Amino acid sequence: MAIKILSVDDSRTIRLIVGKAFRPYDVILLEAANGEEGLATAAREKPDLVILDVTMPVMDGVTMLTKLKEDPALKAIPVIMLTAESGRENVLQIARLGVRDYLVKPFKEDQLLEKVGRCVTLEKRPATIAPA
Amino acid sequence: MTRTIQIPNIREFMSRHLVDVFETMLSMKAVLQPSGTVPVFEERVTGCVAFAGDHINGAVYLHLGTPFATQVAATMLGLEPGDLGDAEVNDVVGEVTNMLTGGLKSWLCDSGAECAVSTPAIIRGSSFVIEAVPEVEREWLIFTSDQNRIVVEIHVKIG
């Protein structure tokens, strides 16, 4: 059964890169462009994992994560933070909020897949058979 | 503590960081050119991300010629250049600029100069000049990747 991964990032580029990384896998990729959309999508779709940017307009990743952890129905969803900022204070703040892991941009697809693979089981997408 | 931050340190950090960003995200080798060259601009896509704090503020501009910007976008997204519109190219250049400035921000914060960064903005064209305001120092870093030029312009005001 396909797993659901929610990518929350204001950059369409990052959402596309994340989507490209999971293309070979049996993953349903959900997308949101800010924390507000991300929370609504998470509540509706109950994803197996959230990949969350930090700096976004409307609602940033730290606020979305805080609200996610306050919601009994959503707090168990593992979150991987994706951030362009690797400073000590930034990383400590993220860690205190209870994320499963974090990944600093720039990143390679392999690094993303490795961290996601520690949270959920990634299975190759079943081969499709063309109709006769 | 911010006294330890000087323009040559910022220049040195960005020289390494740009090479890392292009290698990691694009598998492209960027080579820093000797300083002192004043860039001559062609039709280009320019990404801008500002940073601001109590002790330091400024902006990072990434200038890429339009054909190279399109090539960078295609490589990053795994698509053919012909499949990309201006919006996709803008978004990729903005994201690369965001990664450059995010790394600089982290380095500044770890050096005691807390600051925040803006979301990226994009400028397109060939006949525009970015002026530095008084008391702001401007640094140029010019790299090449194959035959393509990558120009990073950093505006900084310390103190």
Side-chain angles (χ1 to χ4, degrees):
Chain A
M1 186 174 158
I3 59 165
K4 287 183 185 175
I5 295 179
L6 171 59
S7 173
V8 186
D9 204 303
D10 60 324
S11 166
R12 185 164 171 263
T13 296
I14 294 296
R15 300 200 308 268
L16 285 168
I17 291 170
V18 169
K20 183 158 70 87
F22 292 119
R23 212 172 284 156
Y25 297 94
D26 199 11
V27 166
I28 297 168
L29 188 74
L30 310 165
E31 296 185 23
N34 58 61
E36 198 171 277
E37 284 182 20
L39 269 180
T41 307
R44 189 176 64 246
E45 300 285 346
K46 303 287 190 301
D48 299 288
L49 175 76
V50 177
I51 299 172
L52 180 59
D53 185 22
V54 175
T55 307
M56 292 182 289
V58 185
M59 181 191 288
D60 66 23
V62 172
T63 307
M64 178 184 158
L65 180 64
T66 304
K67 289 179 180 291
L68 203 72
K69 293 298 174 190
E70 288 169 355
D71 187 329
L74 304 176
K75 67 179 182 183
I77 298 172
V79 176
I80 295 177
M81 296 296 273
L82 197 54
T83 175
E85 299 161 24
S86 59
R88 280 190 296 268
E89 278 305 315
N90 187 58
V91 169
L92 283 172
Q93 184 193 16
I94 288 170
R96 279 194 290 265
L97 289 168
V99 293
R100 185 66 65 89
D101 211 336
Y102 71 93
L103 188 57
V104 176
K105 305 172 189 174
F107 63 91
K108 287 189 180 290
E109 276 184 19
D110 290 350
Q111 294 172 303
L112 175 64
L113 291 172
E114 185 200 338
K115 287 184 185 288
V116 169
R118 288 186 205 155
C119 301
V120 293
T121 303
L122 288 173
E123 293 181 353
K124 290 280 185 185
R125 197 178 287 280
T128 51
I129 300 168
Chain B
M1 195 183 291
T2 55
R3 279 192 294 253
T4 60
I5 297 171
Q6 295 177 337
I7 301 297
N9 307 131
I10 293 173
R11 185 183 173 86
E12 186 190 341
F13 171 81
M14 191 56 83
S15 301
R16 282 184 276 112
H17 189 47
L18 182 133
V19 170
D20 182 39
V21 169
F22 270 69
E23 168 62 32
T24 305
M25 297 305 297
L26 298 157
S27 299
M28 288 182 179
K29 186 177 181 188
V31 179
L32 181 65
Q33 300 302 300
S35 57
T37 316
V38 178
V40 178
F41 286 119
E42 66 274 36
E43 178 78 24
R44 65 195 191 273
V45 183
T46 296
C48 170
V49 174
F51 54 93
D54 289 341
H55 304 292
I56 192 163
N57 60 71
V60 174
Y61 298 88
L62 173 68
H63 304 277
L64 302 177
T66 304
F68 184 51
T70 306
Q71 184 188 331
V72 164
T75 303
M76 194 175 270
L77 301 178
L79 299 170
E80 293 298 320
D83 294 337
L84 298 174
D86 288 354
E88 286 84 11
V89 176
N90 289 352
D91 205 50
V92 168
V93 173
E95 189 53 43
V96 174
T97 314
N98 188 45
M99 288 179 196
L100 292 174
T101 316
L104 177 63
K105 180 207 164 179
S106 301
W107 180 81
L108 290 170
C109 290
D110 286 348
S111 304
E114 291 287 329
C115 58
V117 296
S118 71
T119 50
I122 294 291
I123 310 163
R124 274 179 173 262
S126 56
S127 56
F128 66 88
V129 177
I130 296 165
E131 301 278 1
V133 296
E135 299 178 22
V136 167
E137 295 194 56
R138 172 160 39 185
E139 281 289 313
W140 298 101
L141 292 166
I142 302 172
F143 302 80
T144 53
S145 179
D146 290 331
Q147 302 299 313
N148 302 295
R149 216 163 48 129
I150 303 160
V151 179
V152 176
E153 181 180 351
I154 309 171
H155 293 202
V156 186
K157 182 181 176 188
I158 299 174

